[in-house]
Amino acid sequence: GQQLNQSPQSMFIQEGEDVSMNCTSSSIFNTWLWYKQEPGEGPVLLIALYKAGELTSNGRLTAQFGITRKDSFLNISASIPSDVGIYFCAGQLRGSQGNLIFGKGTKLSVKP
Amino acid sequence: DAGVIQSPRHEVTEMGQEVTLRCKPISGHDYLFWYRQTMMRGLELLIYFNNNVPIDDSGMPEDRFSAKMPNASFSTLKIQPSEPRDSAVYFCASSLDYNEQFFGPGTRLTVL
């Protein structure tokens, strides 16, 4: 089946540092979404991207839809302890409806 | 506004028993999705509905799994008979236009 390669798998950073993670695929996507999941909860939508090259911010979070439509990245600036969680990318393939394909997640740990 | 509501939050059952998971989507959302999350396989789409009609059930693992959506505000996922390998967190999500999916808190199922 289709796969999204999300990296890194985990990150251990110091509070205040910037964070960058990305998702890549060999397939073309119409939509990229970024979610955050905290323990015992469902994924929460952070940012949605719909156009190649689109750059969207949500507070300290910035995500971009890659020009090739095969990748996306998420940056978190000036990390704080509450940023801890697992971040998932999700993409919707060109020509499909409803089926989101999820990456395996990036587990972020922030040391105060 | 209430988000996606799932019940129960936790379910422990014995192998062979029937399990029913419940979901109330966000009011006005036309799409409803059932996912399963495990450490090994991540988030997997099981089935999704549009306007109460099942559109794609190709992710349903086998005939022991069934899902219904009798009306716009309620869906069930049933496993009968349950097996230990069904142990996972099951999420329900809903969306207005199949792009931005909003997840419920999940049901953690343990089959002994």
Side-chain angles (χ1 to χ4, degrees):
Chain A
Q2 301 293 339
Q3 276 196 323
L4 285 181
N5 300 309
Q6 185 171 351
S7 65
Q9 285 189 343
S10 61
M11 302 182 75
F12 296 85
I13 61 168
Q14 198 78 28
E15 182 177 1
E17 289 183 0
D18 295 344
V19 172
S20 184
M21 59 191 79
N22 67 82
C23 272
T24 61
S25 175
S26 57
S27 301
I28 292 176
F29 287 82
N30 278 344
T31 304
W32 285 98
L33 306 170
W34 285 92
Y35 288 85
K36 178 187 178 187
Q37 186 177 22
E38 297 184 21
E41 300 296 330
V44 174
L45 182 62
L46 300 173
I47 293 178
L49 303 158
Y50 297 101
K51 288 191 219 176
E54 180 180 354
L55 188 71
T56 297
S57 292
N58 178 5
R60 294 177 296 105
L61 276 61
T62 302
Q64 184 160 28
F65 194 141
I67 290 289
T68 64
R69 300 175 70 183
K70 296 180 179 181
D71 60 353
S72 177
F73 73 75
L74 175 71
N75 285 345
I76 305 174
S77 62
S79 58
I80 58 178
S82 62
D83 290 334
V84 164
I86 302 177
Y87 291 80
F88 292 97
C89 63
Q92 190 169 80
L93 285 167
R94 180 177 60 178
S96 74
Q97 285 194 10
N99 289 2
L100 278 184
I101 300 170
F102 280 81
K104 296 293 187 190
T106 295
K107 185 174 182 180
L108 178 64
S109 302
V110 179
K111 186 176 177 183
Chain B
D1 288 340
V4 174
I5 298 172
Q6 289 187 249
S7 65
R9 291 294 309 272
H10 302 273
E11 177 82 30
V12 180
T13 190
E14 291 188 345
M15 182 173 65
Q17 296 297 307
E18 176 182 301
V19 174
T20 300
L21 311 181
R22 297 173 177 80
C23 175
K24 177 178 167 55
I26 294 172
S27 177
H29 280 191
D30 293 332
Y31 289 82
L32 184 141
F33 307 82
W34 282 101
Y35 288 88
R36 178 171 66 177
Q37 186 177 41
T38 60
M39 289 292 293
M40 290 296 295
R41 300 173 68 92
L43 266 166
E44 301 174 281
L45 177 67
L46 300 176
I47 186 173
Y48 80 92
F49 295 82
N50 180 22
N51 292 322
N52 313 339
V53 176
I55 302 300
D56 184 353
D57 65 355
S58 59
M60 296 286 260
E62 47 198 274
D63 291 345
R64 297 185 297 107
F65 285 69
S66 63
K68 293 183 180 178
M69 192 164 185
N71 57 63
S73 59
F74 184 65
S75 176
T76 59
L77 178 67
K78 186 179 292 187
I79 309 172
Q80 180 185 21
S82 57
E83 297 181 3
R85 61 192 166 118
D86 301 331
S87 297
V89 182
Y90 291 81
F91 288 104
C92 176
S94 71
S95 68
L96 196 58
D97 60 2
Y98 72 75
N99 280 317
E100 298 178 20
Q101 297 180 19
F102 294 86
F103 284 75
T107 295
R108 181 173 293 277
L109 173 65
T110 303
V111 183
L112 303 174

